[in-house]
Amino acid sequence: MERHLSEKHPPEKQLSNVSDSSDNRENGTSIATTLNADHHDHPETETCDQLASPSLKAGVKVEETDNTSHEIEEVDQEEKENDEKIEDNPPPEIHYTLETVSQDIDQFITALSATPKDAKETTVEESKDEKMSMEIPVFVVKFLDLVEEKVAKHELTEGKGKWGQNPEEDSSFLEAVNRISKLTSSLDGLRSDPNHAALISRNGGIQQRAMACLEDEFRFTLEDIKHNDQDPNTDAKGKQHEADRCVVQESESSVTDNFLGYSDDAVSKLNRIAKEMIEGGFESECCQVYMMIRGQAFDECFVEIGFEKISIDEVQKMQWEALEREIPLWIKAVKEYASIYFVKELKLAEAIFSNYSSISSSLFSNLTRSVLIQLLNFAEAVAMTKRSAEKLFKFLDMYETLRDSLPAMGALFSEEYENELKAESTTARCRIGEAAICMFCDLENSIKSDTGKTPVPGGAVHPLTRYTMNYVKYAGEYIATLEQVFREHSKIERADSTSRPRYESESQNFNNDDDEETQSPFSNQLMRVMDLLDSNLEAKSKVYKDISLSCIFMMNNGRYIVQKIKGSTEIRQMMGDPWCRKKSSELRNYHKNYQRETWSKLLGCLGHEGLQVNGKVIKPVLKERFKSFNMLFDEIHKTQSTWVVSDEQLQSELRVSITAVVIPAYRSFMGRFSQYLTAGRQTEKYIKYQADDLETYIDELFDGNPASGARKRP
């Protein structure tokens, strides 16, 4: 019978009868014991002493009542002969390989897994009561020997380059680790049996060493980022690798572009290693390595972009000039992380942990969260710095970046984290928006605080006008953002009279076609700024003692304001055509006042009243008229040639209007009364200018040239 079993179950198939060992289970023996018994039936594997084990002897039933003593003697004789035969021919030693023993291990694991844990523990307890130890098949020990040898060989190779040289060896190692992990799980039910403690401990130790090898390879592969287009002349220290760590290829078809520089082979290897580590119970170690390496990669991206990690306290202490240089780098970092790096990082995490979506999602969220917290902290720190009007446009750049970039990332995250991100980014954006409102409203303070009494030479455009209007024109480039900021965040403004936006009807609304309710908060605030500027300029014009120069000052500044408003389509639409028409009307009034104050006295010299008595021209009066005209014109030319009208159109309009008034009157006066002066010496003395001369001198007015003066006709 034993010979028959041996022939039926050769060594490589000795586990085929595990499921049929019902008699052994009925007698309280474990599946592992049954596997050993079947394995012992082979005459080439075990000695006859092992074949005569108590488990087999217990299966032999002696029929005392039916068998004769003669039959018993024959059986004893046959057994004795078999024993002598086995002793004379010892079985040859079996040569185990990892490939052949792996089949037995798989069947052993399957058999143990098919048995409920409670049944295993019950069997162990029964074996304790019977003072019998459950046996582990010999090939399990052989398997551990072979795997330990493979792990030891792997440990000898230090640093990078352990993997990839022999793909078959790599696969064999991963399969061995997989079996070790499964074996560890399967033997868990036998931990209560002290006879197997040493084997279970050894199995766990080998698994620990194997996982350490996988962890090292996982880390090395994550660190070793190589692009297909890498310069072969890169130095051995891999500086180019580090620089390329956060570079994304321009070609969308590039294989490396999909995974931030990792090749498909590298991602496949990382996937297999991660799978074995997680299934082996080493999820924490795997995730920690991934977080560490990818976190370092993100830090290197910051360095590549040029944006440094700056704490909130450091931001508070920075000078604005230095901080102003950091803000564009911050904007670049936010945009590139939001549109490029985070998208690629999610693809990488999902590829490496393809079988564990919850793990990939968690790792991605934790990685990106650390980056986003750093970026949002910088934004909030900047918002807390001292506010001034010149910072406004950098703040608006940051506001637009937070508004446009971060919401696009929502689809990358889980709903829970998306809501958290939205809340944190909204908080940072609100603080930037609130600061921006304060800065624009501080423009009011800048206007109000400019109370200087020193007149601008020549009635030129005041620096306050230039500053304010350039500020307003530049604001026109952010009109949509400013509208949104004032609409969404204006309620937070403090209520002091010098900085809060007043949306009541303090300033005149020139857009009569629109209801007051339709005016946006920013539009009302802009109107208020313009009203304040007009009031300030009106006060400054009174500093000039010469009323004509005061009018020139108001014309210069008024024309500058109108031209700036018209130069910005957005601001002009906001101010409206009625406002522009009103400003143009004000300019015409200043023009009329100037002509009246400057040229009315001169034209009075050319009047006919008082020159004739009883139809005769009184020569002394005529001479005095010419003399007064020459003196007044010389004084006007000498003074007003130093005045400044920088707007060419306004300058031309003034000169043309003066010429149109003075020259015709002078020609008429000369044509009627010059004949009454004696030709020669008397004419030269009193008729100093011809009409053409006057036109030439009028064209020299408002050049801002102090050297100009009236010259006598040659």
Side-chain angles (χ1 to χ4, degrees), residues 540-585:
K540 292 182 185 303
S541 69
K542 292 179 170 55
V543 176
Y544 296 98
K545 296 179 180 180
D546 190 330
I547 297 178
S548 296
L549 182 55
S550 174
C551 292
I552 292 294
F553 173 79
M554 292 303 293
M555 279 190 284
N556 272 325
N557 285 272
R559 176 60 67 93
Y560 187 86
I561 291 172
V562 171
Q563 292 301 104
K564 287 294 182 180
I565 294 295
K566 290 182 177 180
S568 172
T569 304
E570 296 82 6
I571 296 297
R572 179 173 184 175
Q573 290 176 349
M574 182 165 286
M575 299 301 295
D577 290 336
W579 182 90
C580 293
R581 287 194 294 269
K582 177 181 179 297
K583 294 300 294 183
S584 297
S585 176

Coordinates of all heavy atoms in Angstrom, one line a residue, residues 540-585:
K540 N -5.1 124.9 -4.9 CA -3.7 125.2 -5.3 C -3.7 126.4 -6.3 O -2.7 127.1 -6.4 CB -3.1 124.0 -5.9 CG -2.8 122.9 -4.9 CD -2.1 121.7 -5.5 CE -2.0 120.5 -4.5 NZ -1.3 120.9 -3.2
S541 N -4.7 126.5 -7.1 CA -4.7 127.6 -8.2 C -4.8 128.9 -7.5 O -4.3 129.9 -8.1 CB -5.9 127.4 -9.1 OG -7.1 127.6 -8.5
K542 N -5.3 129.0 -6.3 CA -5.4 130.3 -5.6 C -4.1 130.8 -5.1 O -4.0 131.9 -4.6 CB -6.5 130.2 -4.5 CG -7.9 130.0 -5.0 CD -8.9 129.9 -3.9 CE -10.3 129.9 -4.4 NZ -10.6 128.9 -5.4
V543 N -3.1 129.9 -5.1 CA -1.8 130.3 -4.6 C -1.2 131.3 -5.6 O -0.4 132.2 -5.2 CB -0.9 129.1 -4.5 CG1 0.5 129.5 -4.1 CG2 -1.5 128.1 -3.5
Y544 N -1.5 131.2 -6.9 CA -1.0 132.2 -7.9 C -1.6 133.5 -7.7 O -2.9 133.7 -7.7 CB -1.3 131.6 -9.3 CG -0.6 130.3 -9.6 CD1 -1.3 129.1 -9.5 CD2 0.8 130.3 -10.0 CE1 -0.6 127.9 -9.7 CE2 1.4 129.1 -10.2 CZ 0.7 127.9 -10.1 OH 1.3 126.7 -10.4
K545 N -0.8 134.6 -7.6 CA -1.3 135.9 -7.5 C -1.8 136.4 -8.9 O -2.7 137.3 -8.9 CB -0.1 136.9 -7.0 CG 0.4 136.5 -5.6 CD 1.5 137.4 -5.2 CE 2.0 137.1 -3.8 NZ 3.1 138.0 -3.4
D546 N -1.3 136.0 -9.9 CA -1.7 136.3 -11.3 C -2.9 135.4 -11.6 O -2.8 134.2 -11.8 CB -0.6 136.1 -12.3 CG -0.9 136.7 -13.6 OD1 -2.1 136.7 -14.0 OD2 0.0 137.1 -14.3
I547 N -4.1 136.1 -11.8 CA -5.3 135.3 -12.2 C -5.1 134.6 -13.5 O -5.6 133.5 -13.7 CB -6.5 136.2 -12.2 CG1 -6.7 136.8 -10.8 CG2 -7.7 135.5 -12.7 CD1 -7.9 137.8 -10.7
S548 N -4.4 135.2 -14.4 CA -4.2 134.6 -15.7 C -3.4 133.3 -15.6 O -3.7 132.3 -16.2 CB -3.5 135.5 -16.7 OG -4.3 136.7 -16.9
L549 N -2.4 133.3 -14.8 CA -1.6 132.1 -14.5 C -2.4 131.1 -13.8 O -2.2 129.9 -14.1 CB -0.3 132.5 -13.7 CG 0.7 131.3 -13.5 CD1 1.1 130.7 -14.7 CD2 1.9 131.9 -12.7
S550 N -3.3 131.5 -12.9 CA -4.1 130.5 -12.2 C -5.0 129.8 -13.2 O -5.2 128.6 -13.1 CB -5.0 131.3 -11.2 OG -6.0 130.4 -10.6
C551 N -5.5 130.6 -14.2 CA -6.3 129.9 -15.3 C -5.5 129.0 -16.1 O -6.0 127.9 -16.5 CB -6.9 131.0 -16.2 SG -8.2 132.0 -15.3
I552 N -4.3 129.4 -16.4 CA -3.4 128.4 -17.2 C -3.2 127.2 -16.4 O -3.2 126.1 -16.9 CB -2.1 129.1 -17.5 CG1 -2.3 130.3 -18.5 CG2 -1.1 128.1 -18.0 CD1 -2.7 129.8 -19.9
F553 N -2.9 127.3 -15.1 CA -2.7 126.1 -14.2 C -3.9 125.2 -14.2 O -3.8 124.0 -14.4 CB -2.5 126.6 -12.8 CG -2.4 125.5 -11.8 CD1 -1.2 124.8 -11.6 CD2 -3.5 125.3 -10.9 CE1 -1.2 123.7 -10.7 CE2 -3.4 124.2 -10.0 CZ -2.3 123.5 -9.9
M554 N -5.1 125.8 -14.1 CA -6.3 124.9 -14.2 C -6.5 124.3 -15.5 O -7.0 123.1 -15.6 CB -7.5 125.7 -13.7 CG -7.5 126.2 -12.3 SD -7.4 124.8 -11.1 CE -9.0 124.0 -11.4
M555 N -6.2 125.0 -16.6 CA -6.3 124.5 -17.9 C -5.3 123.3 -18.1 O -5.7 122.3 -18.7 CB -6.1 125.5 -19.0 CG -7.3 126.4 -19.2 SD -7.1 127.5 -20.7 CE -6.1 128.7 -20.0
N556 N -4.1 123.5 -17.7 CA -3.1 122.5 -17.8 C -3.5 121.2 -17.1 O -3.5 120.1 -17.7 CB -1.8 123.0 -17.3 CG -0.9 123.7 -18.3 OD1 -0.9 123.4 -19.5 ND2 -0.2 124.7 -17.8
N557 N -3.9 121.3 -15.9 CA -4.3 120.1 -15.1 C -5.6 119.5 -15.6 O -5.7 118.3 -15.6 CB -4.4 120.5 -13.6 CG -3.0 120.7 -13.0 OD1 -2.4 119.8 -12.5 ND2 -2.5 122.0 -13.0
G558 N -6.6 120.4 -16.0 CA -7.8 119.9 -16.5 C -7.7 119.1 -17.8 O -8.3 118.0 -17.9
R559 N -6.8 119.7 -18.7 CA -6.6 119.0 -19.9 C -5.9 117.6 -19.7 O -6.2 116.6 -20.3 CB -5.8 119.9 -20.8 CG -5.4 119.2 -22.2 CD -6.6 118.8 -23.0 NE -7.4 119.9 -23.4 CZ -7.2 120.4 -24.6 NH1 -6.3 120.0 -25.5 NH2 -8.0 121.4 -25.0
Y560 N -4.9 117.6 -18.8 CA -4.2 116.4 -18.4 C -5.2 115.3 -17.9 O -5.1 114.1 -18.3 CB -3.1 116.7 -17.4 CG -2.2 115.5 -17.1 CD1 -1.1 115.3 -17.9 CD2 -2.4 114.6 -16.1 CE1 -0.2 114.2 -17.7 CE2 -1.6 113.6 -15.9 CZ -0.5 113.4 -16.7 OH 0.4 112.3 -16.4
I561 N -6.1 115.7 -17.1 CA -7.1 114.8 -16.5 C -7.9 114.2 -17.6 O -8.2 113.0 -17.7 CB -7.9 115.5 -15.4 CG1 -7.0 115.8 -14.2 CG2 -9.1 114.6 -15.0 CD1 -7.7 116.7 -13.2
V562 N -8.5 115.1 -18.4 CA -9.4 114.6 -19.5 C -8.6 113.7 -20.5 O -9.2 112.7 -20.9 CB -9.9 115.8 -20.3 CG1 -10.7 115.4 -21.5 CG2 -10.8 116.6 -19.4
Q563 N -7.4 114.0 -20.8 CA -6.7 113.2 -21.7 C -6.4 111.8 -21.2 O -6.5 110.8 -21.9 CB -5.3 113.8 -22.1 CG -5.5 115.1 -23.0 CD -6.2 114.8 -24.3 OE1 -7.4 115.2 -24.4 NE2 -5.6 114.3 -25.2
K564 N -6.1 111.7 -19.9 CA -5.9 110.4 -19.2 C -7.2 109.6 -19.2 O -7.1 108.4 -19.4 CB -5.3 110.6 -17.8 CG -3.9 111.1 -17.8 CD -2.9 110.0 -18.3 CE -1.5 110.4 -18.2 NZ -0.6 109.4 -18.8
I565 N -8.3 110.3 -18.9 CA -9.5 109.5 -18.8 C -9.9 109.0 -20.2 O -10.3 107.9 -20.4 CB -10.7 110.5 -18.3 CG1 -10.4 110.8 -16.9 CG2 -12.0 109.8 -18.5 CD1 -10.4 109.7 -15.9
K566 N -9.7 109.9 -21.2 CA -10.0 109.4 -22.6 C -9.1 108.4 -23.1 O -9.4 107.6 -24.0 CB -10.0 110.6 -23.5 CG -11.2 111.6 -23.3 CD -11.1 112.7 -24.3 CE -12.3 113.7 -24.2 NZ -12.3 114.8 -25.2
G567 N -7.9 108.3 -22.5 CA -6.9 107.3 -22.9 C -7.1 105.9 -22.4 O -6.5 105.0 -22.9
S568 N -8.0 105.8 -21.5 CA -8.4 104.5 -20.9 C -9.9 104.3 -21.2 O -10.8 104.9 -20.7 CB -8.2 104.5 -19.4 OG -8.7 103.3 -18.9
T569 N -10.1 103.3 -22.1 CA -11.5 103.0 -22.5 C -12.3 102.6 -21.3 O -13.5 103.0 -21.2 CB -11.5 101.9 -23.6 OG1 -10.7 102.3 -24.7 CG2 -12.9 101.6 -24.1
E570 N -11.7 101.8 -20.5 CA -12.5 101.3 -19.3 C -12.8 102.4 -18.4 O -14.0 102.5 -17.9 CB -11.6 100.2 -18.6 CG -11.3 99.0 -19.4 CD -10.2 99.1 -20.3 OE1 -9.5 100.2 -20.3 OE2 -9.9 98.2 -21.1
I571 N -11.9 103.3 -18.1 CA -12.2 104.4 -17.1 C -13.1 105.4 -17.8 O -14.0 105.9 -17.1 CB -10.8 105.1 -16.7 CG1 -9.9 104.1 -16.0 CG2 -11.1 106.3 -15.9 CD1 -10.5 103.6 -14.7
R572 N -13.0 105.7 -19.0 CA -13.9 106.6 -19.7 C -15.3 106.1 -19.6 O -16.3 106.8 -19.4 CB -13.5 106.8 -21.1 CG -14.4 107.8 -21.9 CD -13.9 108.2 -23.2 NE -14.8 109.2 -23.9 CZ -14.5 109.7 -25.0 NH1 -13.4 109.4 -25.7 NH2 -15.4 110.6 -25.5
Q573 N -15.5 104.8 -19.9 CA -16.8 104.2 -19.8 C -17.4 104.3 -18.4 O -18.6 104.5 -18.2 CB -16.8 102.7 -20.3 CG -16.6 102.6 -21.8 CD -16.5 101.1 -22.2 OE1 -16.4 100.2 -21.3 NE2 -16.4 100.8 -23.5
M574 N -16.5 104.2 -17.5 CA -17.0 104.2 -16.1 C -17.3 105.7 -15.7 O -18.4 105.9 -15.0 CB -15.9 103.7 -15.1 CG -16.3 103.7 -13.7 SD -15.2 102.6 -12.7 CE -15.8 101.0 -13.2
M575 N -16.5 106.6 -16.1 CA -16.8 108.0 -15.8 C -18.0 108.6 -16.6 O -18.8 109.4 -16.1 CB -15.6 108.9 -16.1 CG -14.3 108.5 -15.2 SD -14.6 108.6 -13.4 CE -14.9 110.4 -13.2
G576 N -18.1 108.1 -17.8 CA -19.3 108.5 -18.6 C -19.0 109.7 -19.5 O -18.2 110.6 -19.1
D577 N -19.7 109.8 -20.6 CA -19.6 111.0 -21.5 C -20.1 112.3 -20.8 O -19.5 113.4 -21.0 CB -20.4 110.8 -22.8 CG -19.7 109.7 -23.6 OD1 -18.5 109.5 -23.5 OD2 -20.4 109.1 -24.4
P578 N -21.1 112.3 -20.0 CA -21.5 113.5 -19.3 C -20.4 114.1 -18.5 O -20.3 115.4 -18.5 CB -22.7 113.1 -18.4 CG -23.3 111.9 -19.1 CD -22.1 111.2 -19.7
W579 N -19.6 113.3 -17.8 CA -18.5 113.8 -17.0 C -17.5 114.5 -17.9 O -17.0 115.5 -17.6 CB -17.9 112.7 -16.2 CG -16.8 113.1 -15.3 CD1 -16.9 113.5 -14.0 CD2 -15.4 113.2 -15.7 NE1 -15.6 113.9 -13.5 CE2 -14.7 113.7 -14.5 CE3 -14.7 112.9 -16.8 CZ2 -13.3 113.9 -14.5 CZ3 -13.3 113.1 -16.8 CH2 -12.6 113.6 -15.7
C580 N -17.2 113.8 -19.0 CA -16.2 114.4 -20.0 C -16.7 115.7 -20.5 O -15.9 116.6 -20.7 CB -15.9 113.4 -21.1 SG -15.1 111.8 -20.5
R581 N -18.0 115.8 -20.9 CA -18.5 117.0 -21.4 C -18.4 118.1 -20.4 O -18.1 119.3 -20.7 CB -19.9 116.8 -21.8 CG -20.1 116.0 -23.1 CD -21.4 116.1 -23.7 NE -22.5 115.5 -22.9 CZ -22.9 114.3 -23.0 NH1 -22.3 113.5 -23.9 NH2 -23.8 113.8 -22.2
K582 N -18.7 117.8 -19.1 CA -18.6 118.8 -18.0 C -17.2 119.3 -17.9 O -16.9 120.5 -17.7 CB -19.1 118.2 -16.7 CG -19.0 119.2 -15.6 CD -19.4 118.6 -14.3 CE -19.3 119.5 -13.1 NZ -17.9 119.9 -12.8
K583 N -16.2 118.4 -17.9 CA -14.8 118.8 -17.8 C -14.4 119.7 -19.0 O -13.7 120.7 -18.8 CB -13.9 117.6 -17.7 CG -14.1 116.8 -16.4 CD -13.8 117.5 -15.2 CE -12.4 118.0 -15.0 NZ -12.1 118.7 -13.7
S584 N -14.8 119.4 -20.1 CA -14.5 120.2 -21.3 C -15.1 121.6 -21.2 O -14.5 122.6 -21.6 CB -15.0 119.5 -22.6 OG -14.3 118.3 -22.8
S585 N -16.3 121.7 -20.6 CA -16.9 123.0 -20.4 C -16.2 123.8 -19.4 O -16.0 125.0 -19.6 CB -18.4 122.7 -20.0 OG -19.0 124.0 -19.7

